[in-house]
Amino acid sequence: MKKDRERIIRISRRTNLKWWQKILIKAIFVLVAFLMCGVISSLVSPGSFFDFYEYMFNGTFYNTKIFVNLLWQAGLLFVIAIALTPAFKMKFWNIGAEGQCLMGGLGALIGLKFIAPFVPNIIALCIEFLLAAIFACSWAVIPAIFKAYFNTNETLFTLMMNYIAMGIVAACVVAWSTSGSSVLGVVNNVNHEGWLPFVESFGNSYIFNILIIIGASIVIFLYLGFSQHGYELQVVGGSRNTAKYLGINVKSVIIRTMLLSGLICSVAGFLMVVGASHSINETLVNGRGFTAILVSWLGEFNVPTMAIYSFLVSFVSIGSSNAAAWIGYSSTVSNVLTGLFFLLIISSTFFVNFRVHIKLPKRKKNEETAISSKEGA
Amino acid sequence: MFVTYIRGVIRVMILFLFGSTGEIITEKSGHLNMGTPGIMCMGATGAVVGGVIYLKAIVDPTTANGFLAIIIPMLFCLLFAGLTGLLYCFLVNTLQCNQNVTGLTITTFGAGVFPFVSNMIGSDGLSILSSSFYIRIFPKAFCEANWFTQIFLSHGFLVYLAIIIAVVALLILKKTRVGLSLRAVGESPATADASGIDVSKYKYIATIIGSCISGLGGLYYLMVMNNGALEYNIESFGWLAVALVIFSLWNPGIAIAGSFVFALFYQLPKFISSSGAAAQIISLIPYFVTIVVLIVVSLFNKRETQPPASLGVNYFREDR
């Protein structure tokens, strides 16, 4: 009986899918995810199905300023995903981007607060970036050293480093905030010493930040695809023994790749502090480090795909919290919808990688099914 | 003063214990469930939903029946957490999705659902229901007899339930055939399959039971630690519970001691009444300790202290 039941639905791996079929499957799931957003909205607040989409677009495409904000948020997510990708390709599960970005931000803030008022702006920016890089890279390289030499589990190591970074930032904020309010106000608010230049016509816009992000992504794209280093880290990810036989120094590749990961995270932290908030608190990164892991994974470590996913996720997240504000329910709906969006995209990977065979049992021809199943095996 | 401190430690410890016992059972089946913080959130959501349904049914919260006030939120909590575990297992085991990605998504999702649902349906009266949860199970005079009974015997039933679950889990894992099979599934599913164990069934059941236990942590957080008030800080507790699994070397018995140690450090700033930057630094000790344990475990490469060999790797039968 049981064997008969198993034969109705059978799953097998498939590798012969054409590129447009993959895109079609994923696009269908993205559309379903968008539809679900509206459905959930109308469940919470009946009759808000079409309003939801209207407010969603208003919150993201209404005017240049709002659209640039969307691009900036998407770009931030994208640059963190980019930072994680080299490590993931090496099969080093760095889930510490949250902490690495936060430490980068802390480094930049130290430059901003204590050095920028006394030096010319261009030197201040260089020092801020240098500090951000030192902080973020050291946060990334500590787990890498232990992974390289003692094979310490990096997933939990980097996770713990996130919380230590948050604690250190919280402690710094308490120590630096003057009135005991444990909130650090905007640093250098009057003369903007050490701030990244911003284009006045867009208000406080993020055009400059976005340009830096595009630059960083091109560098990583070339590094991964067309350099000796990119090749080496891929071999280390595939098989450490193969890497050894090829004469690759596995330990140095692990440490080098994590230094790069930290460096790109420091770009994110630097931009968040020097190019946007000009302040810091422990929730500066706000879970983007975790979301970026999903973006990098689901984008299959492919830079253009990651860009598309970052954009879609930011669109869902910003748009839905705007819609929630206008229709009148809790803005935490954006977390729910982002989670749902990812769940559906994850499910789509099944249909890309596997094929479902449905075969109704033939009761009389027992012998025939036995033969065909032998052939299948 | 010291007695109050230890009582506070036990209060926090139980949350860690629920989370990590559930995660240990899940990980023993080879599923690295990074969704545990989200599942704890879902458990808390279930508790809110169950509590509000019961409150709506009785209209006047002061007439709440102690038993029903406990059992209805608890059942909903188990239902929500179990369904989330089922979703995780379906995605990972049947749809062969990546475990890290699925787990993180479930955490994002759960951390969003809890505040969203509880904001939507409101939480008035939950604090009245929560009083049923910390009714002491021993008589009052006995509880306050001396320091020992004050520390160890003056808690609500969830505290003892957590410890009982951990001990039972330990016994099942180490002493029974089911436990042996479960460990085999986590170490090498292909071998377990060849010896006639239904790998899929074990993975599903272990993940769902593990999720239910973790979910009880959410109920505990809502009803006992916060007396029914809505606080949304479960996620960071959940990650500490995941870390505790490493600390306790995949052994629910050590998890009891480990959760006590974690809670000890967690409550330390309150005990020495430090505030400001120093308090922030002291509250980081559990994370440092976890890292030290991770390093020490990797230095001494003993077989008993290693994670299940196929942890985080999906088992696809046709790849054999």
Side-chain angles (χ1 to χ4, degrees):
Chain A
M1 262 322 269
K2 203 181 164 200
K3 279 189 178 165
D4 271 339
R5 203 186 61 201
E6 274 176 357
R7 218 172 282 139
I8 297 173
I9 295 176
R10 200 166 59 80
I11 297 166
S12 66
R13 237 178 243 285
R14 67 169 158 202
T15 46
N16 56 348
L17 215 58
K18 292 188 180 65
W19 63 271
W20 61 267
Q21 288 172 313
K22 278 187 190 172
I23 291 177
L24 190 69
I25 291 175
K26 300 217 161 172
I28 290 170
F29 273 85
V30 168
L31 278 179
V32 171
F34 279 130
L35 268 178
M36 289 292 285
C37 294
V39 170
I40 285 184
S41 172
S42 43
L43 281 179
V44 177
S45 154
S48 64
F49 187 82
F50 293 105
D51 289 351
F52 180 83
Y53 293 106
E54 195 188 329
Y55 291 125
M56 203 166 173
F57 278 98
N58 280 350
T60 44
F61 289 95
Y62 189 70
N63 59 30
T64 327
K65 195 178 169 185
I66 284 176
F67 182 65
V68 170
N69 181 48
L70 170 68
L71 280 185
W72 155 238
Q73 296 292 338
L76 202 51
L77 190 60
F78 175 55
V79 81
I80 302 174
I82 289 271
L84 291 169
T85 302
F88 282 174
K89 274 203 148 174
M90 196 177 65
K91 299 231 167 84
F92 182 102
W93 306 128
N94 173 19
I95 55 174
E98 190 94 3
Q100 285 149 23
C101 294
L102 197 55
M103 286 314 270
L106 184 66
L109 189 97
I110 290 174
L112 190 66
K113 189 170 167 64
F114 298 106
I115 298 169
F118 313 108
V119 291
N121 209 2
I122 183 77
I123 297 173
L125 283 173
C126 292
I127 292 174
E128 282 158 14
F129 183 71
L130 194 70
L131 282 170
I134 291 170
F135 274 58
C137 286
S138 61
W139 226 242
V141 87
I142 294 169
I145 290 171
F146 282 99
K147 174 75 180 177
Y149 286 93
F150 309 120
N151 201 18
T152 309
N153 181 322
E154 75 280 9
T155 318
L156 286 142
F157 201 136
T158 47
L159 181 68
M160 293 300 108
M161 295 294 271
N162 285 341
Y163 288 96
I164 295 176
M166 284 182 199
I168 289 175
V169 168
C172 288
V173 168
V174 172
W176 292 335
S177 59
T178 42
S179 56
S181 58
S182 55
V183 175
L184 197 69
V186 177
V187 179
N188 304 342
N189 203 4
V190 184
N191 296 322
H192 301 177
E193 300 100 338
W195 285 24
L196 212 59
F198 50 88
V199 188
E200 284 291 346
S201 60
F202 282 129
N204 189 0
S205 106
Y206 304 114
I207 285 293
F208 210 74
N209 300 1
I210 294 166
L211 291 177
I212 292 178
I213 288 170
I214 292 172
S217 67
I218 291 171
V219 170
I220 289 291
F221 182 68
L222 296 176
Y223 181 87
L224 287 176
F226 303 97
S227 77
Q228 169 98 22
H229 284 189
Y231 167 72
E232 284 181 0
L233 68 89
Q234 212 160 336
V235 176
V236 171
S239 156
R240 279 201 183 194
N241 285 334
T242 311
K244 267 186 212 157
Y245 300 145
L246 283 173
I248 296 171
N249 185 343
V250 175
K251 289 185 176 107
S252 81
V253 170
I254 291 177
I255 293 171
R256 186 181 70 201
T257 309
M258 278 306 283
L259 274 174
L260 177 74
S261 221
L263 188 69
I264 308 288
C265 277
S266 76
V267 173
F270 171 80
L271 290 179
M272 271 187 277
V273 168
V274 177
S277 72
H278 310 109
S279 178
I280 201 167
N281 62 46
E282 56 188 295
T283 57
L284 176 78
V285 192
N286 201 9
R288 289 188 193 92
F290 292 110
T291 314
I293 298 169
L294 305 176
V295 169
S296 174
W297 250 100
L298 295 172
E300 289 163 357
F301 313 142
N302 179 344
V303 174
T305 323
M306 283 193 282
I308 296 171
Y309 277 133
S310 324
F311 186 79
L312 288 175
V313 171
S314 307
F315 172 69
V316 169
S317 154
I318 297 173
S320 61
S321 62
N322 184 60
W326 281 96
I327 300 173
Y329 45 82
S330 162
S331 67
T332 50
V333 76
S334 74
N335 276 346
V336 180
L337 296 183
T338 314
L340 203 69
F341 182 81
F342 277 119
L343 280 178
L344 281 161
I345 305 290
I346 290 172
S347 323
S348 79
T349 57
F350 169 75
F351 294 96
V352 170
N353 292 329
F354 293 92
R355 201 174 150 188
V356 184
H357 308 262
I358 299 175
K359 194 168 164 191
L360 295 171
K362 293 173 189 168
R363 288 194 180 267
K364 282 182 186 174
K365 297 174 182 173
N366 268 338
E367 281 175 49
E368 231 180 73
T369 46
I371 291 165
S372 69
S373 70
K374 259 184 196 170
E375 281 169 359
Chain B
M1 179 66 196
F2 186 69
V3 170
T4 342
Y5 171 51
I6 298 293
R7 276 178 55 85
V9 167
I10 291 177
R11 247 168 108 89
V12 177
M13 157 195 171
I14 296 304
L15 178 57
F16 292 143
L17 188 55
F18 271 125
S20 58
T21 311
E23 179 71 9
I24 287 172
I25 294 174
T26 311
E27 289 197 8
K28 277 288 178 189
S29 75
H31 282 163
L32 177 61
N33 189 356
M34 305 271 253
T36 293
I39 286 170
M40 289 168 90
C41 290
M42 290 305 281
T45 315
V48 173
V49 171
V52 169
I53 287 176
Y54 179 58
L55 285 169
K56 287 240 169 87
I58 57 170
V59 184
D60 179 14
T62 49
T63 61
N65 171 318
F67 178 71
L68 287 177
I70 289 176
I71 207 75
I72 292 176
M74 203 163 155
L75 282 179
F76 272 87
C77 160
L78 292 176
L79 181 74
F80 274 53
L83 283 178
T84 318
L86 179 67
L87 174 69
Y88 172 84
C89 200
F90 177 72
L91 286 170
V92 164
N93 192 44
T94 305
L95 298 191
Q96 299 283 322
C97 300
N98 180 281
Q99 297 190 5
N100 288 344
V101 177
T102 312
L104 283 171
T105 310
I106 289 203
T107 294
T108 313
F109 184 67
V113 166
F114 178 41
F116 181 62
V117 170
S118 43
N119 274 345
M120 205 167 72
I121 62 176
S123 63
D124 301 330
L126 278 184
S127 53
I128 298 172
L129 287 192
S130 77
S131 60
S132 307
F133 279 89
Y134 41 91
I135 291 175
R136 296 163 175 184
I137 57 170
F138 297 105
K140 194 172 182 229
F142 176 68
C143 289
E144 287 171 2
N146 55 35
W147 64 268
F148 181 83
T149 54
Q150 272 179 24
I151 289 176
F152 293 107
L153 300 176
S154 61
H155 299 280
F157 82 103
L158 275 176
V159 172
Y160 304 103
L161 182 68
I163 293 170
I164 292 169
I165 288 176
V167 172
V168 170
L170 176 67
L171 291 178
I172 289 178
L173 281 174
K174 295 270 157 148
K175 300 280 178 198
T176 66
R177 190 153 195 92
V178 175
L180 184 67
S181 305
L182 180 62
R183 282 186 288 151
V185 168
E187 296 293 342
S188 168
T191 318
D193 201 353
S195 69
I197 297 170
D198 189 341
V199 174
S200 234
K201 193 172 96 186
Y202 267 89
K203 279 182 180 257
Y204 264 101
I205 293 177
T207 309
I208 292 171
I209 291 178
S211 302
C212 285
I213 296 172
S214 302
L216 283 178
L219 174 81
Y220 179 84
Y221 177 81
L222 178 76
M223 291 300 191
V224 181
M225 277 178 71
N226 290 311
N227 306 338
L230 294 176
E231 286 272 341
Y232 304 120
N233 198 19
I234 307 182
E235 216 184 321
S236 61
F237 281 107
W239 287 123
L240 268 176
V242 174
L244 192 58
V245 175
I246 318 291
F247 184 90
S248 51
L249 309 173
W250 290 268
N251 180 331
I254 304 179
I256 299 176
S259 57
F260 185 78
V261 172
F262 268 43
L264 208 63
F265 289 126
Y266 194 85
Q267 292 286 73
L268 197 59
K270 270 189 195 160
F271 178 57
I272 56 178
S273 64
S274 65
S275 59
Q280 293 288 351
I281 298 295
I282 291 172
S283 66
L284 294 179
I285 293 176
Y287 304 107
F288 278 115
V289 173
T290 310
I291 289 179
V292 171
V293 171
L294 274 174
I295 294 169
V296 170
V297 168
S298 62
L299 283 180
F300 300 100
N301 213 346
K302 264 176 72 184
R303 227 174 34 167
E304 288 77 23
T305 60
Q306 293 306 305
S310 76
L311 185 63
V313 184
N314 282 344
Y315 175 59
F316 185 52
R317 202 157 189 242
E318 310 221 339
D319 279 351
R320 280 185 303 174

